[in-house]
Amino acid sequence: MICPYCQSDTGEEALVCSACGRDIAIPASLIAERDALLRKREMIRDELHKAEAKIAMLRSQTKFR
């Protein structure tokens, strides 16, 4: 089994990663759900940065009027 946190190769029966010490007995479905949420968070952050840039642009345009 590969540790989902540090990517170290652990034994198939391991409950705790020998490299990073984290619990790796987490069901695969929870790891997949976590990964999906992390991707969604990154998409939302990207949208936020784009919106902030647009707001900054609009504010700078109104200063010159």
Side-chain angles (χ1 to χ4, degrees):
M1 171 184 245
I2 301 295
C3 175
Y5 303 104
C6 72
Q7 305 303 312
S8 294
D9 190 16
T10 63
E12 289 301 317
E13 301 295 320
L15 300 176
V16 175
C17 176
S18 59
C20 69
R22 294 180 81 170
D23 182 6
I24 57 173
I26 300 169
S29 61
L30 289 179
I31 292 172
E33 183 178 353
R34 179 204 64 175
D35 292 343
L37 289 171
L38 290 173
R39 285 190 300 275
K40 186 175 182 179
R41 180 183 70 179
E42 285 305 311
M43 288 175 35
I44 291 170
R45 281 184 177 168
D46 289 342
E47 289 178 24
L48 176 61
H49 290 305
K50 288 177 187 176
E52 288 172 336
K54 188 172 183 176
I55 290 169
M57 181 187 68
L58 291 171
R59 284 184 176 156
S60 68
Q61 288 176 350
T62 59
K63 288 181 181 179
F64 294 112
R65 289 185 177 189

